[in-house]
Each structure stands twice: as structure tokens, then as C-alpha cells.
Amino acid sequence: MEQRAIPVIVLSGFLGSGKTTLLLRLLRHAHASGLRASVLMNEIGAVDVDGTQVSRESAYALMERITEGCLCCSKKSELGGCLERLALMRPDVIVMELTGVANPEEIVEAMTEPEAIGKVALHRIVTVLDAEHALDYNSIFSADRELIRTLRRQLEVADVIVANKFDLISDRTADKVRSLARDRNPAAAFVSAVRCDFDPANVFAGIAPAGELRPRFPCSRLAERRRALRQGP
């Protein structure tokens, strides 16, 4: 039987936006759907609290961790090896949670390393937006240029934007957050959420359990653009 590339779901967003909460929800959904999930977490810090929580609450998931460095810079060289080790276990899906400062586009570039190419393929990029603070993060008066650039790239490359903590903002702010997401990425699916609670069907669409025919899932728009660039005119 043909071994097709394992789909990878990338979770992006600033520290405190709710990425780990979403990760746990996605893992529970995968488990309930009969999907075997693997996890790659990237957290900067000597004590990997989030990773410990995921390990404890999601014992059914295979896991790799990279700490004390960001996947899109100092630890970029480790990504291919981690993905290769996870792919060898033949999960149905790999969920990758990035550190808050990571640019998902650079992660996608790293996924083409020789160790990982052909074994994994980008499926969706999900960016979790902290709706309570997003407007400040995007303001030239409240944030530095690097923070603004990172936020905008996280939005621009997303297939799904989850505006989390929507219960903590006014209707006026909610309209501005929607406009921010729409202006940066009108093609992305926009979801407002509280504690990242939403139907993840769109995130997992096209991913099948082992033993079933794995369809050629519709890949991320970023992956499609990169494939077109490689093929040329």
C-alpha cells in the first residue's frame, strides 16, 4: 500500500493566547475520532510545564519536545529529526505547537529538510489570536516592530484563525479584531472562541485513521504556494 505523507497541523500564536488549551482539545477530538496523534511541542524555558501537562492529560499521544530554543531559529536544525522520529511511528496526524515568537512560515521551510521531506506534509496552520490583547500587539504605539511583524505573519499564513478569549472583550473590540484578521488574511476561516472551544472538524478535514484509505487531503494554502514556486511557471 502506498505510504503517503503524514499530515501536520501547526499551532501558532503568542504566549498566553491559548495554544496549549487548543492542543489538548485537538488531541481529545483526535482520540474520540479514532485518530492516532503525535505531538511536537516547542517551549522556551528550562521547565517544560505545558509539555508535562500534555503528557499527563494525553497519555495516548506520542510526543517529542524541544525546549530552551525556538524552532524557527536556534533549534531549527532539530525539527527534521524530530519529525522523522515521529513519522516512523506512523501516526495519523502530527500536531506541532510552536513557541509564541515563532514564524510559521520558517517552520514550513524547515519541514523540507531531507530527514522529513516525503514523510510529512503541512495540512493546516492554525493561529490562535489573543482577542483581549491583539489590538495592542498590532499597534505601533503599544508594541515594537518585531512583535507587530510576528503577529501579522502568524495571521497571514494561517488557514484557520481562532480569536480566543472573546468573552473578555466588548462588541466594539470584537469588530476590530475581526477586521484585523480579515485585513491580514481574508481567505482564512475565522472562529471566535472561549477557552478555544469550537468544532475542530475543519482542522481535521481529510485526515483518516490508519487502516482506512487516507485521502489526498486539501493542504494548507501556504504549502500550495510553496509547491507552485518550486514547480515554476
Side-chain angles (χ1 to χ4, degrees), residues 37-84:
S38 291
V39 178
L40 174 55
M41 294 188 72
N42 178 206
E43 288 297 329
I44 296 179
V47 180
D48 183 19
V49 177
D50 287 345
T52 301
Q53 181 184 13
V54 172
S55 294
R56 182 175 63 249
E57 296 193 25
S58 306
Y60 44 82
L62 307 169
M63 188 168 182
E64 287 276 348
R65 305 181 201 177
I66 296 179
T67 59
E68 300 182 344
C70 178
L71 276 175
C72 69
C73 45
S74 62
K75 295 293 181 177
K76 190 174 182 178
S77 61
E78 295 186 24
L79 178 58
C82 287
L83 288 172
E84 182 182 29

mmCIF file of all heavy atoms in Angstrom, residues 37-84:
data_model
loop_
_atom_site.group_PDB
_atom_site.id
_atom_site.type_symbol
_atom_site.label_atom_id
_atom_site.label_comp_id
_atom_site.label_asym_id
_atom_site.label_seq_id
_atom_site.Cartn_x
_atom_site.Cartn_y
_atom_site.Cartn_z
ATOM 1 N N ALA A 37 -2.605 10.321 17.199
ATOM 2 C CA ALA A 37 -1.926 11.610 17.065
ATOM 3 C C ALA A 37 -0.554 11.582 17.719
ATOM 4 O O ALA A 37 -0.351 10.951 18.757
ATOM 5 C CB ALA A 37 -2.772 12.709 17.701
ATOM 6 N N SER A 38 0.377 12.285 17.099
ATOM 7 C CA SER A 38 1.678 12.551 17.706
ATOM 8 C C SER A 38 1.802 14.050 17.921
ATOM 9 O O SER A 38 1.155 14.845 17.236
ATOM 10 C CB SER A 38 2.819 12.060 16.812
ATOM 11 O OG SER A 38 2.848 10.653 16.754
ATOM 12 N N VAL A 39 2.651 14.437 18.873
ATOM 13 C CA VAL A 39 2.776 15.847 19.255
ATOM 14 C C VAL A 39 4.241 16.256 19.230
ATOM 15 O O VAL A 39 5.115 15.520 19.701
ATOM 16 C CB VAL A 39 2.207 16.087 20.674
ATOM 17 C CG1 VAL A 39 2.395 17.549 21.085
ATOM 18 C CG2 VAL A 39 0.736 15.709 20.733
ATOM 19 N N LEU A 40 4.487 17.445 18.681
ATOM 20 C CA LEU A 40 5.798 18.080 18.782
ATOM 21 C C LEU A 40 5.582 19.441 19.414
ATOM 22 O O LEU A 40 4.881 20.290 18.858
ATOM 23 C CB LEU A 40 6.445 18.225 17.407
ATOM 24 C CG LEU A 40 7.764 19.008 17.339
ATOM 25 C CD1 LEU A 40 8.802 18.424 18.292
ATOM 26 C CD2 LEU A 40 8.308 19.044 15.921
ATOM 27 N N MET A 41 6.154 19.649 20.595
ATOM 28 C CA MET A 41 5.997 20.916 21.315
ATOM 29 C C MET A 41 7.320 21.655 21.363
ATOM 30 O O MET A 41 8.369 21.061 21.567
ATOM 31 C CB MET A 41 5.502 20.676 22.751
ATOM 32 C CG MET A 41 4.107 20.097 22.842
ATOM 33 S SD MET A 41 3.513 20.072 24.539
ATOM 34 C CE MET A 41 3.221 21.829 24.823
ATOM 35 N N ASN A 42 7.244 22.970 21.190
ATOM 36 C CA ASN A 42 8.418 23.829 21.297
ATOM 37 C C ASN A 42 8.118 24.908 22.330
ATOM 38 O O ASN A 42 7.302 25.788 22.092
ATOM 39 C CB ASN A 42 8.729 24.458 19.940
ATOM 40 C CG ASN A 42 9.921 25.401 19.969
ATOM 41 O OD1 ASN A 42 10.020 26.305 19.151
ATOM 42 N ND2 ASN A 42 10.843 25.207 20.885
ATOM 43 N N GLU A 43 8.738 24.822 23.490
ATOM 44 C CA GLU A 43 8.562 25.811 24.533
ATOM 45 C C GLU A 43 9.919 26.312 24.971
ATOM 46 O O GLU A 43 10.847 25.525 25.194
ATOM 47 C CB GLU A 43 7.817 25.220 25.742
ATOM 48 C CG GLU A 43 6.340 24.959 25.481
ATOM 49 C CD GLU A 43 5.554 26.219 25.191
ATOM 50 O OE1 GLU A 43 5.920 27.284 25.716
ATOM 51 O OE2 GLU A 43 4.588 26.149 24.416
ATOM 52 N N ILE A 44 10.061 27.630 25.106
ATOM 53 C CA ILE A 44 11.307 28.221 25.580
ATOM 54 C C ILE A 44 11.263 28.282 27.094
ATOM 55 O O ILE A 44 10.393 28.910 27.676
ATOM 56 C CB ILE A 44 11.515 29.633 24.994
ATOM 57 C CG1 ILE A 44 11.664 29.550 23.478
ATOM 58 C CG2 ILE A 44 12.721 30.306 25.613
ATOM 59 C CD1 ILE A 44 11.851 30.892 22.810
ATOM 60 N N GLY A 45 12.203 27.611 27.740
ATOM 61 C CA GLY A 45 12.262 27.598 29.199
ATOM 62 C C GLY A 45 12.801 26.293 29.700
ATOM 63 O O GLY A 45 12.602 25.235 29.102
ATOM 64 N N ALA A 46 13.482 26.329 30.816
ATOM 65 C CA ALA A 46 14.103 25.126 31.365
ATOM 66 C C ALA A 46 13.060 24.158 31.893
ATOM 67 O O ALA A 46 13.261 22.952 31.918
ATOM 68 C CB ALA A 46 15.080 25.514 32.476
ATOM 69 N N VAL A 47 11.912 24.685 32.362
ATOM 70 C CA VAL A 47 10.859 23.834 32.903
ATOM 71 C C VAL A 47 9.723 23.792 31.893
ATOM 72 O O VAL A 47 9.048 24.793 31.649
ATOM 73 C CB VAL A 47 10.339 24.372 34.257
ATOM 74 C CG1 VAL A 47 9.242 23.456 34.799
ATOM 75 C CG2 VAL A 47 11.488 24.496 35.250
ATOM 76 N N ASP A 48 9.514 22.640 31.302
ATOM 77 C CA ASP A 48 8.524 22.480 30.242
ATOM 78 C C ASP A 48 7.170 22.147 30.862
ATOM 79 O O ASP A 48 6.706 21.018 30.819
ATOM 80 C CB ASP A 48 8.990 21.377 29.288
ATOM 81 C CG ASP A 48 8.052 21.204 28.104
ATOM 82 O OD1 ASP A 48 7.276 22.126 27.830
ATOM 83 O OD2 ASP A 48 8.108 20.140 27.482
ATOM 84 N N VAL A 49 6.512 23.167 31.446
ATOM 85 C CA VAL A 49 5.257 22.948 32.159
ATOM 86 C C VAL A 49 4.161 22.474 31.218
ATOM 87 O O VAL A 49 3.430 21.530 31.502
ATOM 88 C CB VAL A 49 4.815 24.243 32.886
ATOM 89 C CG1 VAL A 49 3.470 24.031 33.572
ATOM 90 C CG2 VAL A 49 5.873 24.654 33.897
ATOM 91 N N ASP A 50 4.034 23.124 30.055
ATOM 92 C CA ASP A 50 2.987 22.749 29.107
ATOM 93 C C ASP A 50 3.171 21.322 28.619
ATOM 94 O O ASP A 50 2.218 20.574 28.476
ATOM 95 C CB ASP A 50 2.985 23.712 27.922
ATOM 96 C CG ASP A 50 2.420 25.082 28.284
ATOM 97 O OD1 ASP A 50 1.787 25.183 29.348
ATOM 98 O OD2 ASP A 50 2.621 26.029 27.520
ATOM 99 N N GLY A 51 4.425 20.952 28.338
ATOM 100 C CA GLY A 51 4.691 19.596 27.884
ATOM 101 C C GLY A 51 4.325 18.564 28.923
ATOM 102 O O GLY A 51 3.797 17.491 28.616
ATOM 103 N N THR A 52 4.590 18.866 30.191
ATOM 104 C CA THR A 52 4.226 17.959 31.277
ATOM 105 C C THR A 52 2.717 17.797 31.341
ATOM 106 O O THR A 52 2.197 16.695 31.533
ATOM 107 C CB THR A 52 4.757 18.496 32.614
ATOM 108 O OG1 THR A 52 6.171 18.617 32.525
ATOM 109 C CG2 THR A 52 4.395 17.558 33.758
ATOM 110 N N GLN A 53 1.983 18.895 31.164
ATOM 111 C CA GLN A 53 0.528 18.845 31.184
ATOM 112 C C GLN A 53 -0.015 17.999 30.045
ATOM 113 O O GLN A 53 -0.907 17.172 30.234
ATOM 114 C CB GLN A 53 -0.051 20.259 31.097
ATOM 115 C CG GLN A 53 -1.572 20.301 31.126
ATOM 116 C CD GLN A 53 -2.107 21.701 30.931
ATOM 117 O OE1 GLN A 53 -1.367 22.606 30.537
ATOM 118 N NE2 GLN A 53 -3.385 21.893 31.187
ATOM 119 N N VAL A 54 0.531 18.179 28.846
ATOM 120 C CA VAL A 54 0.071 17.390 27.696
ATOM 121 C C VAL A 54 0.370 15.917 27.910
ATOM 122 O O VAL A 54 -0.450 15.050 27.622
ATOM 123 C CB VAL A 54 0.719 17.908 26.395
ATOM 124 C CG1 VAL A 54 0.406 16.983 25.231
ATOM 125 C CG2 VAL A 54 0.239 19.313 26.085
ATOM 126 N N SER A 55 1.565 15.609 28.424
ATOM 127 C CA SER A 55 1.925 14.214 28.677
ATOM 128 C C SER A 55 0.965 13.578 29.677
ATOM 129 O O SER A 55 0.545 12.429 29.536
ATOM 130 C CB SER A 55 3.358 14.132 29.219
ATOM 131 O OG SER A 55 4.282 14.541 28.252
ATOM 132 N N ARG A 56 0.600 14.332 30.713
ATOM 133 C CA ARG A 56 -0.259 13.798 31.765
ATOM 134 C C ARG A 56 -1.687 13.598 31.285
ATOM 135 O O ARG A 56 -2.320 12.583 31.567
ATOM 136 C CB ARG A 56 -0.243 14.747 32.969
ATOM 137 C CG ARG A 56 -1.086 14.249 34.148
ATOM 138 C CD ARG A 56 -0.927 15.169 35.351
ATOM 139 N NE ARG A 56 -1.423 16.513 35.081
ATOM 140 C CZ ARG A 56 -0.650 17.587 34.980
ATOM 141 N NH1 ARG A 56 0.653 17.472 35.120
ATOM 142 N NH2 ARG A 56 -1.175 18.777 34.742
ATOM 143 N N GLU A 57 -2.213 14.563 30.537
ATOM 144 C CA GLU A 57 -3.616 14.528 30.145
ATOM 145 C C GLU A 57 -3.849 13.776 28.844
ATOM 146 O O GLU A 57 -4.986 13.442 28.521
ATOM 147 C CB GLU A 57 -4.157 15.950 30.020
ATOM 148 C CG GLU A 57 -4.146 16.701 31.347
ATOM 149 C CD GLU A 57 -4.965 17.979 31.269
ATOM 150 O OE1 GLU A 57 -5.876 18.040 30.422
ATOM 151 O OE2 GLU A 57 -4.689 18.889 32.058
ATOM 152 N N SER A 58 -2.789 13.528 28.083
ATOM 153 C CA SER A 58 -2.947 12.885 26.780
ATOM 154 C C SER A 58 -1.953 11.745 26.627
ATOM 155 O O SER A 58 -1.090 11.754 25.762
ATOM 156 C CB SER A 58 -2.758 13.918 25.660
ATOM 157 O OG SER A 58 -3.619 15.010 25.854
ATOM 158 N N ALA A 59 -2.075 10.781 27.484
ATOM 159 C CA ALA A 59 -1.115 9.687 27.502
ATOM 160 C C ALA A 59 -1.148 8.858 26.223
ATOM 161 O O ALA A 59 -0.217 8.114 25.941
ATOM 162 C CB ALA A 59 -1.394 8.783 28.708
ATOM 163 N N TYR A 60 -2.226 8.994 25.450
ATOM 164 C CA TYR A 60 -2.346 8.226 24.210
ATOM 165 C C TYR A 60 -1.552 8.830 23.073
ATOM 166 O O TYR A 60 -1.462 8.247 21.995
ATOM 167 C CB TYR A 60 -3.824 8.126 23.794
ATOM 168 C CG TYR A 60 -4.585 9.404 23.914
ATOM 169 C CD1 TYR A 60 -4.532 10.378 22.935
ATOM 170 C CD2 TYR A 60 -5.364 9.651 25.052
ATOM 171 C CE1 TYR A 60 -5.225 11.564 23.067
ATOM 172 C CE2 TYR A 60 -6.055 10.831 25.191
ATOM 173 C CZ TYR A 60 -5.994 11.785 24.196
ATOM 174 O OH TYR A 60 -6.673 12.965 24.330
ATOM 175 N N ALA A 61 -0.949 10.014 23.278
ATOM 176 C CA ALA A 61 -0.231 10.691 22.195
ATOM 177 C C ALA A 61 1.265 10.444 22.291
ATOM 178 O O ALA A 61 1.847 10.493 23.364
ATOM 179 C CB ALA A 61 -0.513 12.199 22.241
ATOM 180 N N LEU A 62 1.888 10.156 21.161
ATOM 181 C CA LEU A 62 3.340 10.081 21.080
ATOM 182 C C LEU A 62 3.874 11.509 21.071
ATOM 183 O O LEU A 62 3.276 12.396 20.474
ATOM 184 C CB LEU A 62 3.751 9.353 19.808
ATOM 185 C CG LEU A 62 3.113 7.982 19.587
ATOM 186 C CD1 LEU A 62 3.385 7.506 18.174
ATOM 187 C CD2 LEU A 62 3.637 6.987 20.600
ATOM 188 N N MET A 63 5.030 11.733 21.702
ATOM 189 C CA MET A 63 5.429 13.116 21.910
ATOM 190 C C MET A 63 6.920 13.328 21.749
ATOM 191 O O MET A 63 7.736 12.505 22.134
ATOM 192 C CB MET A 63 4.991 13.547 23.315
ATOM 193 C CG MET A 63 5.183 15.020 23.595
ATOM 194 S SD MET A 63 4.320 15.468 25.105
ATOM 195 C CE MET A 63 4.683 17.212 25.138
ATOM 196 N N GLU A 64 7.267 14.474 21.150
ATOM 197 C CA GLU A 64 8.633 14.984 21.106
ATOM 198 C C GLU A 64 8.598 16.410 21.650
ATOM 199 O O GLU A 64 7.632 17.133 21.450
ATOM 200 C CB GLU A 64 9.168 15.007 19.665
ATOM 201 C CG GLU A 64 9.490 13.654 19.088
ATOM 202 C CD GLU A 64 10.881 13.156 19.471
ATOM 203 O OE1 GLU A 64 11.668 13.966 20.003
ATOM 204 O OE2 GLU A 64 11.151 11.976 19.237
ATOM 205 N N ARG A 65 9.675 16.821 22.350
ATOM 206 C CA ARG A 65 9.735 18.175 22.886
ATOM 207 C C ARG A 65 11.055 18.822 22.508
ATOM 208 O O ARG A 65 12.094 18.172 22.493
ATOM 209 C CB ARG A 65 9.626 18.181 24.419
ATOM 210 C CG ARG A 65 8.404 17.490 24.986
ATOM 211 C CD ARG A 65 8.420 17.583 26.500
ATOM 212 N NE ARG A 65 7.576 16.561 27.093
ATOM 213 C CZ ARG A 65 7.444 16.362 28.392
ATOM 214 N NH1 ARG A 65 8.110 17.117 29.223
ATOM 215 N NH2 ARG A 65 6.665 15.411 28.855
ATOM 216 N N ILE A 66 10.990 20.115 22.222
ATOM 217 C CA ILE A 66 12.194 20.913 22.043
ATOM 218 C C ILE A 66 12.054 22.117 22.970
ATOM 219 O O ILE A 66 11.120 22.904 22.832
ATOM 220 C CB ILE A 66 12.367 21.388 20.591
ATOM 221 C CG1 ILE A 66 12.559 20.179 19.667
ATOM 222 C CG2 ILE A 66 13.540 22.341 20.464
ATOM 223 C CD1 ILE A 66 12.708 20.544 18.205
ATOM 224 N N THR A 67 12.964 22.249 23.938
ATOM 225 C CA THR A 67 12.907 23.351 24.890
ATOM 226 C C THR A 67 14.181 24.186 24.789
ATOM 227 O O THR A 67 15.153 23.812 24.150
ATOM 228 C CB THR A 67 12.753 22.825 26.333
ATOM 229 O OG1 THR A 67 13.867 21.981 26.648
ATOM 230 C CG2 THR A 67 11.470 22.035 26.493
ATOM 231 N N GLU A 68 14.159 25.332 25.430
ATOM 232 C CA GLU A 68 15.312 26.238 25.502
ATOM 233 C C GLU A 68 15.802 26.676 24.121
ATOM 234 O O GLU A 68 16.988 26.744 23.848
ATOM 235 C CB GLU A 68 16.452 25.604 26.298
ATOM 236 C CG GLU A 68 16.057 25.281 27.733
ATOM 237 C CD GLU A 68 17.220 24.692 28.519
ATOM 238 O OE1 GLU A 68 18.204 24.257 27.903
ATOM 239 O OE2 GLU A 68 17.137 24.679 29.743
ATOM 240 N N GLY A 69 14.879 26.932 23.240
ATOM 241 C CA GLY A 69 15.239 27.420 21.909
ATOM 242 C C GLY A 69 14.027 27.408 21.000
ATOM 243 O O GLY A 69 13.089 26.650 21.219
ATOM 244 N N CYS A 70 14.038 28.276 19.990
ATOM 245 C CA CYS A 70 12.900 28.396 19.087
ATOM 246 C C CYS A 70 13.145 27.583 17.821
ATOM 247 O O CYS A 70 14.224 27.618 17.245
ATOM 248 C CB CYS A 70 12.676 29.868 18.737
ATOM 249 S SG CYS A 70 11.333 30.125 17.568
ATOM 250 N N LEU A 71 12.111 26.873 17.374
ATOM 251 C CA LEU A 71 12.231 26.026 16.185
ATOM 252 C C LEU A 71 12.589 26.813 14.930
ATOM 253 O O LEU A 71 13.203 26.274 14.015
ATOM 254 C CB LEU A 71 10.914 25.277 15.953
ATOM 255 C CG LEU A 71 10.702 23.985 16.744
ATOM 256 C CD1 LEU A 71 9.307 23.457 16.480
ATOM 257 C CD2 LEU A 71 11.744 22.950 16.392
ATOM 258 N N CYS A 72 12.208 28.093 14.877
ATOM 259 C CA CYS A 72 12.463 28.839 13.646
ATOM 260 C C CYS A 72 13.810 29.551 13.680
ATOM 261 O O CYS A 72 14.137 30.282 12.747
ATOM 262 C CB CYS A 72 11.343 29.838 13.373
ATOM 263 S SG CYS A 72 11.255 31.214 14.509
ATOM 264 N N CYS A 73 14.605 29.333 14.728
ATOM 265 C CA CYS A 73 15.934 29.959 14.748
ATOM 266 C C CYS A 73 16.953 28.988 15.327
ATOM 267 O O CYS A 73 17.465 28.135 14.610
ATOM 268 C CB CYS A 73 15.904 31.294 15.495
ATOM 269 S SG CYS A 73 15.003 31.269 17.045
ATOM 270 N N SER A 74 17.238 29.051 16.643
ATOM 271 C CA SER A 74 18.352 28.279 17.199
ATOM 272 C C SER A 74 18.130 26.776 17.169
ATOM 273 O O SER A 74 19.087 26.008 17.174
ATOM 274 C CB SER A 74 18.633 28.731 18.645
ATOM 275 O OG SER A 74 17.510 28.492 19.472
ATOM 276 N N LYS A 75 16.894 26.311 17.157
ATOM 277 C CA LYS A 75 16.617 24.874 17.183
ATOM 278 C C LYS A 75 16.048 24.367 15.866
ATOM 279 O O LYS A 75 15.521 23.255 15.787
ATOM 280 C CB LYS A 75 15.626 24.558 18.327
ATOM 281 C CG LYS A 75 16.181 24.820 19.721
ATOM 282 C CD LYS A 75 17.316 23.864 20.053
ATOM 283 C CE LYS A 75 17.846 24.114 21.461
ATOM 284 N NZ LYS A 75 18.900 23.148 21.839
ATOM 285 N N LYS A 76 16.154 25.187 14.815
ATOM 286 C CA LYS A 76 15.580 24.824 13.522
ATOM 287 C C LYS A 76 16.167 23.524 12.987
ATOM 288 O O LYS A 76 15.472 22.721 12.365
ATOM 289 C CB LYS A 76 15.834 25.969 12.538
ATOM 290 C CG LYS A 76 15.097 25.862 11.224
ATOM 291 C CD LYS A 76 15.315 27.136 10.416
ATOM 292 C CE LYS A 76 14.571 27.104 9.105
ATOM 293 N NZ LYS A 76 14.760 28.366 8.346
ATOM 294 N N SER A 77 17.446 23.295 13.260
ATOM 295 C CA SER A 77 18.114 22.094 12.747
ATOM 296 C C SER A 77 17.576 20.816 13.374
ATOM 297 O O SER A 77 17.758 19.734 12.820
ATOM 298 C CB SER A 77 19.620 22.192 12.997
ATOM 299 O OG SER A 77 19.896 22.293 14.383
ATOM 300 N N GLU A 78 16.910 20.905 14.535
ATOM 301 C CA GLU A 78 16.388 19.718 15.210
ATOM 302 C C GLU A 78 15.035 19.277 14.668
ATOM 303 O O GLU A 78 14.606 18.146 14.911
ATOM 304 C CB GLU A 78 16.258 19.978 16.713
ATOM 305 C CG GLU A 78 17.575 20.200 17.427
ATOM 306 C CD GLU A 78 17.394 20.317 18.927
ATOM 307 O OE1 GLU A 78 16.379 19.795 19.437
ATOM 308 O OE2 GLU A 78 18.248 20.926 19.590
ATOM 309 N N LEU A 79 14.356 20.164 13.951
ATOM 310 C CA LEU A 79 12.983 19.880 13.547
ATOM 311 C C LEU A 79 12.878 18.663 12.642
ATOM 312 O O LEU A 79 12.026 17.795 12.849
ATOM 313 C CB LEU A 79 12.385 21.101 12.851
ATOM 314 C CG LEU A 79 10.965 20.954 12.309
ATOM 315 C CD1 LEU A 79 10.000 20.573 13.416
ATOM 316 C CD2 LEU A 79 10.524 22.240 11.632
ATOM 317 N N GLY A 80 13.744 18.574 11.642
ATOM 318 C CA GLY A 80 13.681 17.454 10.717
ATOM 319 C C GLY A 80 13.830 16.123 11.419
ATOM 320 O O GLY A 80 13.085 15.173 11.148
ATOM 321 N N GLY A 81 14.784 16.040 12.360
ATOM 322 C CA GLY A 81 14.996 14.792 13.096
ATOM 323 C C GLY A 81 13.809 14.427 13.961
ATOM 324 O O GLY A 81 13.421 13.251 14.052
ATOM 325 N N CYS A 82 13.202 15.426 14.629
ATOM 326 C CA CYS A 82 12.025 15.163 15.462
ATOM 327 C C CYS A 82 10.863 14.652 14.617
ATOM 328 O O CYS A 82 10.184 13.688 14.992
ATOM 329 C CB CYS A 82 11.622 16.430 16.202
ATOM 330 S SG CYS A 82 12.707 16.898 17.568
ATOM 331 N N LEU A 83 10.629 15.292 13.481
ATOM 332 C CA LEU A 83 9.547 14.851 12.606
ATOM 333 C C LEU A 83 9.806 13.451 12.061
ATOM 334 O O LEU A 83 8.887 12.643 11.933
ATOM 335 C CB LEU A 83 9.370 15.853 11.467
ATOM 336 C CG LEU A 83 8.749 17.194 11.851
ATOM 337 C CD1 LEU A 83 8.816 18.163 10.679
ATOM 338 C CD2 LEU A 83 7.299 17.024 12.302
ATOM 339 N N GLU A 84 11.065 13.176 11.756
ATOM 340 C CA GLU A 84 11.401 11.847 11.250
ATOM 341 C C GLU A 84 11.100 10.781 12.303
ATOM 342 O O GLU A 84 10.524 9.725 11.988
ATOM 343 C CB GLU A 84 12.869 11.790 10.857
ATOM 344 C CG GLU A 84 13.285 10.438 10.276
ATOM 345 C CD GLU A 84 14.763 10.383 9.946
ATOM 346 O OE1 GLU A 84 15.551 11.079 10.618
ATOM 347 O OE2 GLU A 84 15.126 9.631 9.028
#
